[in-house]
Amino acid sequence: VAGEDGPFGGDVVMINKDDRATCETLDYDAATERAILAGNVVLNSGADRKVTAKKVELEQKTDTALLTGDVVVTQARNVLRGQRLAIDRRKGTTRLDTPADAGRASGRIYTLLYQTDSKGGTKGTTKPATAPASPFGANFRADPSAPIEIEADSLDVYDASKTAVFRVNVVAKQGEFIIRTVEMTAHD
C-alpha cells in the first residue's frame, strides 16, 4: 500500500511473506488500522489456502476480519461456502453463515471435506465401516474414503477446543450415508 489517502483503484495487490491479497479497490485508514478490500477479493496463504469474497474488512486493532458476498474458502480440496465469514483471531473463533440481506432470505452454508491421514495426505480407499446390527436388523455403513458434504444454517469454529459446530437443519452426507440433525459437532 503506497499511502493513506483513500481508496486505491484498479488491480490492487498486497503481499506479506506467503500471503497475497488482490482486489479492485482498497481503502486503508492508518489511524484506525482498518482496511476495506472490495471487488473480486482473493486472499491466498501459502500454496493451498484461498478465500474469495466480494468485500473484506480487516481490523488490525481488534485482530478481526469480516468477509462478505459469495465467500468461498478452499484448503487443498476442502471447500466452505457461505455469504459471510467473521473471524476473531484473539478469541479464536470463526463463524460462517448466510444471513438475510436486502431482498434475500437467509440461506445455507455448504462444506465439502476430505479426510486426511496423519501425514496430511488423502486417505486411501478402505472398506466401509459397519456398525453393529440394530434390533431391527439394519446396518449403517459409511465409506470413510468418501468426502463429507455438510449443509447447515451456520458453522462456528472454536480454535481452543478444536471443534466445529454446524447448527440448524444440518444435513451431512458421506457416500450413501446421511445424517439429519439440529446440531452437529465435529472434533479435530
Side-chain angles (χ1 to χ4, degrees):
V1 178
E4 310 169 12
D5 298 326
F8 293 88
D11 294 326
V12 179
V13 178
M14 296 188 313
I15 299 171
N16 182 17
K17 297 180 184 176
D18 289 336
D19 298 336
R20 177 184 173 102
T22 60
C23 58
E24 293 173 11
T25 64
L26 168 67
D27 186 8
Y28 180 70
D29 184 335
T32 61
E33 296 182 33
R34 183 172 194 240
I36 299 175
L37 295 76
N40 299 318
V41 180
V42 179
L43 307 173
N44 290 296
S45 182
D48 71 343
R49 292 173 149 179
K50 178 179 173 181
V51 180
T52 60
K54 290 183 179 176
K55 182 177 178 184
V56 176
E57 299 175 39
L58 302 171
E59 300 277 352
Q60 288 180 298
K61 285 184 179 179
T62 59
D63 208 6
T64 60
L66 179 63
L67 296 81
T68 55
D70 299 328
V71 177
V72 178
V73 179
T74 57
Q75 183 173 1
R77 296 189 307 163
N78 297 325
V79 178
L80 291 88
R81 297 180 190 270
Q83 288 297 315
R84 179 176 63 187
L85 179 67
I87 302 166
D88 187 327
R89 291 180 52 168
R90 285 187 187 164
K91 292 181 181 177
T93 60
T94 303
R95 180 177 183 83
L96 178 66
D97 60 10
T98 300
D101 198 7
R104 185 193 66 202
S106 62
R108 310 270 288 154
I109 61 103
Y110 169 81
T111 63
L112 176 65
L113 306 172
Y114 290 85
Q115 296 183 48
T116 57
D117 60 24
S118 60
K119 298 173 187 164
T122 302
K123 283 187 176 181
T125 304
T126 59
K127 185 176 178 183
T130 304
S134 73
F136 303 105
N139 287 323
F140 291 98
R141 296 175 186 206
D143 179 355
S145 65
I148 301 167
E149 297 177 68
I150 305 169
E151 288 187 50
D153 283 7
S154 66
L155 166 62
D156 291 293
V157 178
Y158 304 97
D159 294 346
S161 61
K162 295 184 179 183
T163 58
V165 182
F166 296 87
R167 292 191 169 90
V168 186
N169 299 321
V170 180
V171 178
K173 298 177 187 177
Q174 186 174 27
E176 298 297 315
F177 189 72
I178 300 172
I179 296 173
R180 297 177 193 277
T181 185
V182 175
E183 184 175 294
M184 181 175 74
T185 303
H187 302 272
D188 182 18

